[in-house]
Amino acid sequence: MVWAECKLAEARCRRRRLRPMVMKLPCSLWFLLLFGAGGMVLFTHLQDLSETFQQQAPGVKLRFAGQSRRKDLCATEAADSGPSLEGKSAAQGPSSPIPPMQFPAFEWTWQPATSGSRGQEVNPARVTKSHRKLLLKSNPVGQTHNSSSSTSPSSSSSLRDGWRRLARVQQDRKQLMKEVCAKYKSQSTRTVTPQHVSRIFVEDRHKLLYCEVPKVGCSNWKRVLMVLGGSAASTQEIPHEAVHYGNHLKRLDSFDRRGIARRLDTYTKVLFVREPFERLVSAFRDKFESPNTYYHPVFGRPIISRYRANASQAALRTGTGVTFKEFMQYLLDVHRPVGMDIHWEHVNQLCSPCLLRYDFIGRFETMEEDANFLLRRAGAPSNLTFPVFKDRNPHAERTSARITQRYFAQLNASERQRAYDFYYMDYLMFNYSKPFKDLY
């Protein structure tokens, strides 16, 4: 009896010891199932990765960067796409697909295409938004693409060399302007007023600020800005009246001080200049040798009255027939009978280059090359190029160095010297040589 009770108690103890083992068994099975599933996922991922490597062309390299490398890349991207000027406002501008340009921003490494490759390897330390957009739009190897239609290595090399040359030219022009400003201009006044930016037009989509200098292609530049801003589809269809009197473009001084400061800090500031004497002769021919209902009575009559002896009543009444010598007498007179005009005002006075520090300085003499270079860097549509047609008096010969020499030959050496002194800062700041050998 006692033996039977002992056996029964022993059986109960065994069941109690087995119960925890039975409870733990499902957890072990779950662990094994999860471990097996994770292994399958890892195996699948490695298989896909190996297939990706096999699909890559021989000239394309995949690079993987750690967390620290990604941080460096983001910092570099922010430096490439962000504004370069110190003290800029933290406020964001209008939404735009184009980041503010920095010049020069063209020093990326590019390798010509080889057979069976895309031919482009970008240094990760120099990757920018533009590069990423280009890589995203590139057709993957294996898709339908005619490689023979791509740009040849020789033409690509020529294009790159041209862009590098233009970038160096921009650096030289800006450096010279900076040195001249440091030497000749007082740095005591650094406050930008609405008057300083009254000649600047705003294009918010592509973040451009263009300072208008009359007789330096400004009419065609306004046409380009109108197309960029969506006011017109083509520069060819915009008449002269719409350019100058249509109010399609905003001036920078129409914004409040905060809007002015933000755009000056984050937009690309553009200035185009011209040889000063040539610009002056172009203005004289346009305003005084062609019919004009404003300049003849407003400027012509006081000029004739002041500087022409025995002037006829018809000339005094209409103001027509002003000679170049009379015009220069007016311009160089410290007691002018009528004030200055933007068409012959100094560029230094119109655009305040020492105060605003322009990002791009183009020249009328290389207008088409400089303007199209700027448009490509600004992200303008590929079919938009700078128009070269003559806006006013299309049948008249363009003012050239030869024509300029002919007009200034009407002046004596002293008058030419005074005219050169009048525009001396423009000659110096924008690196134009002396137009006459007897000038000092």
Side-chain angles (χ1 to χ4, degrees), residues 279-319:
R279 173 175 168 249
L280 180 66
V281 171
S282 177
F284 173 78
R285 295 177 69 203
D286 182 36
K287 305 306 178 187
F288 293 102
E289 291 187 348
S290 301
N292 194 295
T293 58
Y294 173 76
Y295 283 91
H296 289 185
V298 174
F299 286 87
R301 286 192 296 188
I303 288 175
I304 291 174
S305 176
R306 179 75 169 266
Y307 304 107
R308 181 181 299 181
N310 302 320
S312 67
Q313 291 298 317
L316 292 173
R317 184 179 66 255
T318 62

Side-chain angles (χ1 to χ4, degrees), residues 131-390:
H131 297 132
R132 289 181 174 176
K133 290 179 181 178
L134 179 62
L135 293 175
L136 288 174
K137 292 179 180 179
S138 299
N139 290 329
V141 175
Q143 289 186 1
T144 304
H145 179 71
N146 185 7
S147 60
S148 63
S149 64
S150 60
T151 305
S152 65
S154 59
S155 60
S156 298
S157 177
S158 175
L159 180 63
R160 293 195 311 276
D161 292 342
W163 278 35
R164 291 192 185 105
R165 176 182 60 81
L166 291 173
R168 288 193 296 269
V169 168
Q170 284 302 309
Q171 285 293 92
D172 293 341
R173 290 174 182 173
K174 291 188 292 184
Q175 181 62 30
L176 175 62
M177 185 177 68
K178 181 179 179 181
E179 293 173 357
V180 172
C181 291
K183 183 175 181 179
Y184 293 96
K185 294 294 181 178
S186 172
Q187 301 297 317
S188 58
T189 303
R190 299 300 305 169
T191 302
V192 177
T193 66
Q195 183 179 359
H196 289 127
V197 298
S198 61
R199 308 304 312 173
I200 295 180
F201 290 91
V202 180
E203 205 290 287
D204 281 320
R205 284 189 179 183
H206 296 78
K207 297 186 177 181
L208 292 176
L209 298 179
Y210 165 72
C211 186
E212 175 193 28
V213 179
K215 311 312 299 178
V216 191
C218 63
S219 297
N220 281 337
W221 258 117
K222 289 179 182 179
R223 289 184 171 93
V224 169
L225 294 179
M226 289 171 65
V227 173
L228 289 175
S231 300
S234 170
T235 57
Q236 304 291 330
E237 64 186 33
I238 308 175
H240 178 82
E241 291 72 18
V243 170
H244 293 283
Y245 310 112
N247 294 323
H248 297 288
L249 299 172
K250 292 182 179 180
R251 293 181 185 265
L252 188 54
D253 63 350
S254 65
F255 298 90
D256 58 20
R257 290 185 179 273
R258 186 175 180 180
I260 292 174
R262 176 169 53 78
R263 286 171 173 82
L264 286 174
D265 286 342
T266 59
Y267 285 23
T268 300
K269 299 181 289 295
V270 179
L271 171 64
F272 273 79
V273 297
R274 186 178 185 177
E275 204 281 336
F277 278 9
E278 188 176 308
R279 173 175 168 249
L280 180 66
V281 171
S282 177
F284 173 78
R285 295 177 69 203
D286 182 36
K287 305 306 178 187
F288 293 102
E289 291 187 348
S290 301
N292 194 295
T293 58
Y294 173 76
Y295 283 91
H296 289 185
V298 174
F299 286 87
R301 286 192 296 188
I303 288 175
I304 291 174
S305 176
R306 179 75 169 266
Y307 304 107
R308 181 181 299 181
N310 302 320
S312 67
Q313 291 298 317
L316 292 173
R317 184 179 66 255
T318 62
T320 59
V322 174
T323 66
F324 185 69
K325 190 176 183 68
E326 293 169 342
F327 173 71
M328 292 304 297
Q329 285 179 293
Y330 143 77
L331 183 66
L332 301 176
D333 192 347
V334 294
H335 303 291
R336 300 184 190 95
V338 61
M340 282 291 289
D341 183 79
I342 60 173
H343 289 83
W344 45 84
E345 180 65 274
H346 312 81
V347 175
N348 181 53
Q349 292 292 328
L350 291 173
C351 297
S352 304
C354 291
L355 182 62
L356 302 182
R357 300 295 174 90
Y358 286 85
D359 304 299
F360 189 96
I361 303 173
R363 280 188 168 200
F364 182 84
E365 294 76 14
T366 55
M367 173 66 80
E368 190 173 1
E369 182 181 51
D370 289 347
N372 290 327
F373 173 59
L374 173 64
L375 290 175
R376 300 290 78 78
R377 294 307 305 162
S382 58
N383 62 343
L384 176 61
T385 57
F386 190 81
V388 295
F389 58 83
K390 201 169 184 287

Side-chain angles (χ1 to χ4, degrees), residues 53-105:
F53 270 109
Q54 292 174 2
Q55 291 176 0
Q56 297 298 320
V60 179
K61 298 180 181 179
L62 287 180
R63 302 193 179 202
F64 299 92
Q67 184 66 21
S68 61
R69 189 58 174 164
R70 285 195 294 271
K71 290 181 179 179
D72 295 339
L73 184 63
C74 292
T76 304
E77 180 181 344
D80 287 342
S81 62
S84 63
L85 299 179
E86 296 180 359
K88 50 187 169 286
S89 170
Q92 297 296 324
S95 59
S96 171
I98 306 301
M101 286 182 295
Q102 305 301 324
F103 290 92

